[in-house]
């Protein structure tokens, strides 16, 4: 099946701990994105990447880090510097050459702090 | 700055028609998207407008007026499964290829 796979579905973080959220896509999409969603809030952009080995900060990048070593993978690390990490994290991807360039989403990871 | 406004909540009954409005103030407009999101799930694509006018797709239609910075999503023959959040998102050139999202409109459909 083609799509975007996020894992794990639920994740718990202890104080001072770094955690990594996985995002893999087999759609051969060029661009990948990470968004954060809080209750009553819209999706806010954390990081995005349009090509391998390159990524750009979004509106709320502080306390997060990413890598793009392979086209299919765009993991997000929530570092201990992120003081309020509890949220729903959504990964997305799109093909830069498509006419509509629709952005598709994974099923999300819900992160909570212990 | 970039700003997207949509109503927080709306209610409607089965079989009715509902219109969800979205206004935006952005520079470098490069397309407007509507997504549907059920609670705890990923957003799914509904419609895309880049030129003025109406796009129809089954029970859903979306309209865009670029001069007014305005769009609406029209849902006809409402069903209970249409209860969800509807997200308006704008793509702007300055943001590279990412989307800027409104806070979403939660629609509740009752029988």
């Amino acid at each position: 099946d083609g799509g975007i796979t996020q894992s794990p579905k639920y994740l718990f973080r202890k104080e001072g701990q770094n955690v990594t959220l996985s995002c893999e896509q087999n759609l051969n999409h060029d661009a990948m994105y990470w968004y954060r969603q809080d209750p009553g809030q819209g999706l806010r952009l954390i990081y995005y990447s349009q090509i391998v080995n390159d990524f750009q900060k979004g509106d709320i990048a502080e306390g997060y880090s990413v890598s793009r070593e392979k086209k299919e993978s765009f993991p997000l690390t929530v570092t201990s510097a992120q003081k309020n990490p509890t949220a729903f994290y959504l990964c997305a991807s799109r093909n830069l050459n498509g006419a509509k360039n629709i952005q598709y989403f994974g099923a999300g990871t819900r992160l909570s702090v212990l | 700055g970039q700003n997207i406004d949509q109503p927080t909540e709306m209610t409607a009954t089965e079989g009715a028609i509902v219109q969800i409005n979205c206004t935006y103030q952005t520079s470098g407009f490069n397309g407007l998207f509507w997504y549907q999101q059920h609670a705890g799930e990923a957003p799914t694509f509904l419609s895309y407008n880049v030129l003025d006018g109406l796009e129809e797709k089954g029970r859903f239609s979306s309209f865009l007026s670029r001069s007014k910075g305005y769009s609406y999503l029209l849902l006809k023959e409402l069903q209970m499964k249409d209860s969800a959040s509807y997200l308006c998102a704008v793509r702007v050139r300055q943001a590279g290829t990412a989307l800027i999202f409104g806070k979403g409109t939660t629609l509740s459909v009752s029988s």
Side-chain angles (χ1 to χ4, degrees):
Chain A
D1 278 356
I4 304 169
T5 302
Q6 290 188 242
S7 62
K9 187 164 181 154
Y10 299 96
L11 186 59
F12 297 90
R13 193 190 89 166
K14 296 179 182 178
E15 288 284 341
Q17 184 182 40
N18 293 354
V19 292
T20 298
L21 285 61
S22 170
C23 179
E24 304 276 333
Q25 54 97 1
N26 60 5
L27 301 168
N28 199 32
H29 283 173
D30 306 295
M32 297 186 73
Y33 312 83
W34 274 105
Y35 292 91
R36 169 180 172 143
Q37 188 174 34
D38 295 279
Q41 298 290 323
L43 277 67
R44 293 182 290 168
L45 183 67
I46 305 173
Y47 269 100
Y48 66 98
S49 167
Q50 298 187 67
I51 57 172
V52 174
N53 292 323
D54 186 57
F55 47 83
Q56 307 295 327
K57 291 182 179 180
D59 300 322
I60 55 167
E62 185 174 348
Y64 300 96
S65 66
V66 294
S67 62
R68 187 92 185 272
E69 297 176 2
K70 299 186 298 181
K71 187 176 184 178
E72 309 78 42
S73 179
F74 191 41
L76 174 75
T77 296
V78 184
T79 74
S80 56
Q82 173 49 246
K83 298 307 179 188
N84 185 23
T86 297
F88 189 43
Y89 290 86
L90 288 160
C91 176
S93 71
R94 68 183 271 252
N95 186 344
L96 293 177
N97 295 321
K100 287 184 178 180
N101 297 335
I102 297 167
Q103 199 168 112
Y104 296 97
F105 287 85
T109 293
R110 193 165 297 278
L111 176 62
S112 301
V113 177
L114 290 177
Chain B
Q2 320 280 16
N3 192 49
I4 299 174
D5 288 313
Q6 46 182 135
T8 303
E9 295 180 339
M10 298 183 72
T11 60
T13 55
E14 269 188 304
I17 299 173
V18 70
Q19 177 175 312
I20 302 174
N21 296 324
C22 172
T23 58
Y24 62 91
Q25 298 88 38
T26 63
S27 55
F29 176 85
N30 196 23
L32 187 143
F33 296 77
W34 284 96
Y35 283 84
Q36 181 191 61
Q37 185 180 26
H38 286 99
E41 298 181 8
T44 56
F45 170 77
L46 287 178
S47 71
Y48 168 71
N49 297 73
V50 67
L51 300 176
D52 289 355
L54 188 68
E55 294 281 340
E56 296 185 84
K57 191 189 296 185
R59 294 189 299 115
F60 293 6
S61 303
S62 58
F63 171 83
L64 175 67
S65 169
R66 288 173 299 169
S67 61
K68 295 182 180 177
Y70 168 70
S71 173
Y72 67 72
L73 179 69
L74 193 70
L75 293 75
K76 303 175 186 175
E77 301 168 14
L78 280 173
Q79 302 173 11
M80 298 291 284
K81 67 178 182 179
D82 296 328
S83 293
S85 286
Y86 291 85
L87 312 179
C88 174
V90 172
R91 183 161 62 225
V92 297
R93 295 184 186 88
Q94 297 92 314
T97 61
L99 298 177
I100 301 172
F101 283 84
K103 293 184 178 181
T105 299
T106 300
L107 174 66
S108 299
V109 180
S110 58
S111 57

